[in-house]
Amino acid sequence: MPVVLGIETSCDETGVGIVADGVLLGDALATSMDEHARFGGVVPEIAARAHLHAVTPMVRHALDRAGIGFADIDAVAATAGPGLATAVQVGLAAGKAYALSLGVPLYGVHHLAGHAAVDVLEHGPLPHRCISLIVSGGHTSLLLLGDLARDPVVHLGDTVDDAAGEAFDKVARLLGLPYPGGPAIDRIAREGDPTAIAFPRPMTGPHDPPYPFSFSGLKTAVARWVERHGDRAVPVADVAASFQEAVADTLTRKALAACRDHQVDTLLLVGGVAANSRVRHLAETRCAAAGVRLRVPSPRLCTDNGAMIAAVGDVLVRADVAPDRLDLGADPSAVLHGALLHGPRP
């Protein structure tokens, strides 16, 4: 069973994971989130510098937790895009260095493919065909997946402006909540009424395309509602709950429509926003009613981590996909076409 070392540095988490035959042997995670909080968002150069300091210790921690040494590593996978340019370059350079020094193959993988592959670690191999809803701070996509290692990913719909996670951060800032906004809104929304304010469900009208997303207008609707409230105390919990309900309703409505329209019986819900309690609960309820199997990783594997990159590397190694050359360049804006950075090999 080949042992794969995975390295993730696309944003503010330095993640390392070790996977063999679909089993997570060990992982480690460092975050620079606290260093970005006072800016209300991630500062790329601060993140990159934090990765430089953290990546070697995280590799050693992951090896220790797996109970193995460098000699046991058979392949290295590293995020090669998308993400913050300088941050991605740190992890990819580290991956190249480990692959070269250990004399093992390198796989430059797509960050979003890692989010899809990580579910394998908890729920076994993906079905031969499924709908995947990837929802994170930088991406919101509805995809039709086949063989992740060899088949091209079919984009059914993507966000045309803000990603769902980005909208959470911006609305949290409007409400005076701390960064990151997703967990903050999730916590306070439990005290609010999700039906208190009828925020719009963007791009769900009868004449809208069925699968793309848009969250910029929803964010603006929240801002306008807060402005109209004037000097009166804003009911933060109700606003947060109502906003969160609009996002969860929109995401799950479109995802279930894609399952129905493409006659697919499995929905894979992944990405940082998949850790949101309301999104998870509504997805569970609607999937159960529609007879669709829901696959969603545990919350700690939804956010960025090294296990997901090791997982997608493991999928590629077991499929006997040819590795990348060591001169592979990072692509901070790479579109998801497959597990490898630029999609399946021709």
Side-chain angles (χ1 to χ4, degrees), residues 131-177:
I131 295 293
S132 179
L133 176 60
I134 299 182
V135 201
S136 67
H139 303 88
T140 301
S141 296
L142 198 52
L143 311 168
L144 179 61
L145 300 183
D147 182 337
L148 193 59
R150 297 195 176 279
D151 293 342
V153 171
V154 178
H155 284 251
L156 302 178
D158 300 282
T159 183
V160 299
D161 42 55
D162 289 353
E166 185 180 0
F168 270 99
D169 285 339
K170 291 178 177 177
V171 168
R173 193 181 309 167
L174 281 170
L175 298 177
L177 299 174

Side-chain angles (χ1 to χ4, degrees), residues 240-294:
S242 299
F243 163 75
Q244 180 175 263
E245 188 69 17
V247 174
D249 182 24
T250 301
L251 291 173
T252 56
R253 188 188 305 188
K254 287 176 175 281
L256 267 296
C259 290
R260 181 187 64 244
D261 296 346
H262 291 82
Q263 298 181 323
V264 170
D265 63 3
T266 301
L267 173 63
L268 177 65
L269 173 61
V270 293
V273 178
N276 178 274
S277 62
R278 181 54 183 160
V279 172
R280 293 171 79 93
H281 178 73
L282 192 55
E284 289 169 1
T285 301
R286 288 182 169 175
C287 282
V292 172
R293 182 189 178 195
L294 176 66

Side-chain angles (χ1 to χ4, degrees), residues 206-256:
H207 302 296
D208 289 321
Y211 308 131
F213 300 93
S214 169
F215 293 103
S216 179
L218 174 58
K219 170 205 66 185
T220 301
V222 176
R224 295 293 174 265
W225 191 95
V226 171
E227 288 174 3
R228 288 197 300 272
H229 212 68
D231 295 331
R232 293 172 291 163
V234 173
V236 173
D238 285 347
V239 175
S242 299
F243 163 75
Q244 180 175 263
E245 188 69 17
V247 174
D249 182 24
T250 301
L251 291 173
T252 56
R253 188 188 305 188
K254 287 176 175 281
L256 267 296

Side-chain angles (χ1 to χ4, degrees), residues 7-282:
I7 300 174
E8 156 62 21
T9 63
S10 67
C11 193
D12 58 346
E13 278 91 16
T14 309
V16 176
I18 299 171
V19 169
D21 197 29
V23 177
L24 178 61
L25 304 181
D27 66 327
L29 185 71
T31 180
S32 57
M33 186 183 299
D34 290 345
E35 299 178 56
H36 306 286
R38 65 192 177 100
F39 299 103
V42 178
V43 180
E45 294 307 318
I46 293 176
R49 188 175 297 275
H51 291 314
L52 282 170
H53 289 296
V55 67
T56 300
M58 291 304 103
V59 169
R60 294 194 178 277
H61 287 326
L63 288 169
D64 289 344
R65 289 171 181 171
I68 63 174
F70 281 113
D72 299 304
I73 299 299
D74 298 297
V76 175
T79 297
L84 305 175
T86 50
V88 170
Q89 287 167 1
V90 172
L92 181 58
K96 290 179 180 181
Y98 283 116
L100 179 62
S101 62
L102 297 174
V104 300
L106 169 76
Y107 291 87
V109 303
H110 198 287
H111 173 78
L112 298 182
H115 277 304
V118 76
D119 189 67
V120 171
L121 302 180
E122 294 186 323
H123 301 123
L126 295 175
H128 73 281
R129 202 164 166 266
C130 69
I131 295 293
S132 179
L133 176 60
I134 299 182
V135 201
S136 67
H139 303 88
T140 301
S141 296
L142 198 52
L143 311 168
L144 179 61
L145 300 183
D147 182 337
L148 193 59
R150 297 195 176 279
D151 293 342
V153 171
V154 178
H155 284 251
L156 302 178
D158 300 282
T159 183
V160 299
D161 42 55
D162 289 353
E166 185 180 0
F168 270 99
D169 285 339
K170 291 178 177 177
V171 168
R173 193 181 309 167
L174 281 170
L175 298 177
L177 299 174
Y179 175 84
I185 286 179
D186 196 358
R187 284 191 298 270
I188 199 166
R190 294 169 192 173
E191 305 169 11
D193 177 3
T195 66
I197 307 161
F199 287 129
R201 274 50 172 171
M203 296 190 77
T204 58
H207 302 296
D208 289 321
Y211 308 131
F213 300 93
S214 169
F215 293 103
S216 179
L218 174 58
K219 170 205 66 185
T220 301
V222 176
R224 295 293 174 265
W225 191 95
V226 171
E227 288 174 3
R228 288 197 300 272
H229 212 68
D231 295 331
R232 293 172 291 163
V234 173
V236 173
D238 285 347
V239 175
S242 299
F243 163 75
Q244 180 175 263
E245 188 69 17
V247 174
D249 182 24
T250 301
L251 291 173
T252 56
R253 188 188 305 188
K254 287 176 175 281
L256 267 296
C259 290
R260 181 187 64 244
D261 296 346
H262 291 82
Q263 298 181 323
V264 170
D265 63 3
T266 301
L267 173 63
L268 177 65
L269 173 61
V270 293
V273 178
N276 178 274
S277 62
R278 181 54 183 160
V279 172
R280 293 171 79 93
H281 178 73
L282 192 55

